[in-house]
Amino acid sequence: MNLLAFAARRLAEAVVLLVLLSAAVFAATAVLPGDAVSAVAGVDASETQRAEVRAELGLDRPAVQRYADWAAGAVRGDLGRGFVGERPVADVLATRLPNSLLLAGLTLAVTAPLATLLGLWTGLRGGVADRVVSTSAQILAAVPEFVVAALLVAVLAVWLEVLPRVSVIPLGGTPLDVPDALVLPVLTLSAVGLAVATRLLRASVADTAARPYCEAARLNGVRGVRLAVRHILPNAAGPAVQALTLTTGALVGSAVVVENVFDYPGIGRELQLAVAARDVPMVQGIATALVAVMLAVLLLGDVCARLLGAREGHGR
């Protein structure tokens, strides 16, 4: 299968998966206890008032019909308005999603080179260094994001007082206007991402280094940097790209937690507020957008890995 056909097939699969996941998100919000009526009408509203608000919001219609109407609007580019505040979902995405993408981009800029160096070093070196780094990465990967965030806040914000505890952004500004506000969220996500990426890259490098052509190269006196550059890196490039892609996907979920811990003005923060208010259109639009971003990253990673064509013996 050529690259174009492969990309087309993966794109079709991604579209189908996006539809299925959007339906799953809608179903999940539909079965949550409570609805947005209390947030809109107020907790002291009478049953008559609540019924009127429910009808106005369309919550009195069957869930299948509501999802079908939402999906039809989404195809036209209309994600609707949130129940609370009647904010257009598309406007919220346009405002908040770039902040989350900035956070993810900075995290990858820190994580990718460090994970590559550590994965290459431990995968080739083995021994005590490999065990120490691998064990540390495994422990760090098992620690919840909010625990890592709390430890960093305790040390850097409370004890040393060199960074702000929360990411306060001026009204109308961007996170780039307050670089200090980005440091703790990026460090938290980088710690989590580095643990995942290092383990994946280390496994890829170690597997490639054990291949017959690498053993043959060693017998011929090829070692060190020359072995890594000529034989290991070209063949580990494809799996390495996929490892970093999977790490990026994991960062999407981690970012939702980290943004709420630091009150960072990203899309994850908006998602948490929408879930708390049972704001179905906002939850549906944000969750679908996050899934679309994740699927796009995975698709790009698969295509890049295919393009690199890391086959055995390449680079010998």
Side-chain angles (χ1 to χ4, degrees), residues 12 44 57 74 104 108 121 137 154-155 172 182 195 198 210 212 221 249 283 288:
D44 297 327
L57 297 178
L108 283 176
W121 182 54
V155 174
L182 287 163
T198 298
V283 172
T288 302

Side-chain angles (χ1 to χ4, degrees), residues 20 33 73 83 96 113 169 175 217 228 232 235 255 262 282 313:
L20 293 176
F83 290 156
R96 299 300 191 187
I169 309 300
I232 294 178
N235 292 281
F262 293 106
M282 194 65 69

Side-chain angles (χ1 to χ4, degrees), residues 99 231 240:
N99 292 345
H231 299 278

Side-chain angles (χ1 to χ4, degrees), residues 96-300:
R96 299 300 191 187
L97 188 56
N99 292 345
S100 295
L101 294 178
L102 172 64
L103 192 61
L106 292 174
T107 300
L108 283 176
V110 173
T111 302
L114 287 177
T116 301
L117 291 174
L118 284 174
L120 184 62
W121 182 54
T122 55
L124 291 176
R125 189 178 182 87
V128 176
D130 181 22
R131 289 193 293 272
V132 170
V133 173
S134 297
T135 302
S136 301
Q138 188 172 3
I139 293 173
L140 186 56
V143 178
E145 296 89 345
F146 67 88
V147 175
V148 177
L151 290 174
L152 289 174
V153 168
V155 174
L156 298 177
V158 178
W159 182 30
L160 298 178
E161 298 183 350
V162 295
L163 292 171
R165 302 184 188 185
V166 294
S167 302
V168 179
I169 309 300
L171 186 64
T174 70
L176 290 176
D177 297 331
V178 191
D180 289 352
L182 287 163
V183 177
L184 282 177
V186 169
L187 284 178
T188 303
L189 287 174
S190 296
V192 177
L194 185 62
V196 175
T198 298
R199 294 174 62 195
L200 293 173
L201 289 169
R202 182 262 171 205
S204 174
V205 170
D207 178 69
T208 303
R211 298 294 176 87
Y213 54 82
C214 287
E215 293 292 340
R218 290 190 187 94
L219 292 175
N220 289 326
V222 180
R223 297 182 182 279
V225 175
R226 186 181 174 195
L227 176 66
V229 172
R230 292 191 57 185
H231 299 278
I232 294 178
L233 288 180
N235 292 281
V241 168
Q242 291 180 319
L244 292 175
T245 300
L246 292 173
T247 303
T248 305
L251 288 176
V252 174
S254 300
V256 174
V257 176
V258 172
E259 287 181 6
N260 281 282
V261 170
F262 293 106
D263 200 21
Y264 181 81
I267 203 64
R269 177 65 176 160
E270 288 290 340
L271 179 60
Q272 189 273 334
L273 295 174
V275 170
R278 302 298 187 268
D279 193 340
V280 177
M282 194 65 69
V283 172
Q284 186 72 18
I286 292 175
T288 302
L290 289 176
V291 170
V293 170
M294 187 182 300
L295 290 175
V297 171
L298 293 174
L299 174 62
L300 181 61

Side-chain angles (χ1 to χ4, degrees), residues 296-316:
V297 171
L298 293 174
L299 174 62
L300 181 61
D302 285 345
V303 171
C304 288
R306 182 87 171 193
L307 184 62
L308 288 171
R311 296 184 296 271
E312 284 193 16
H314 180 75
R316 281 184 288 177

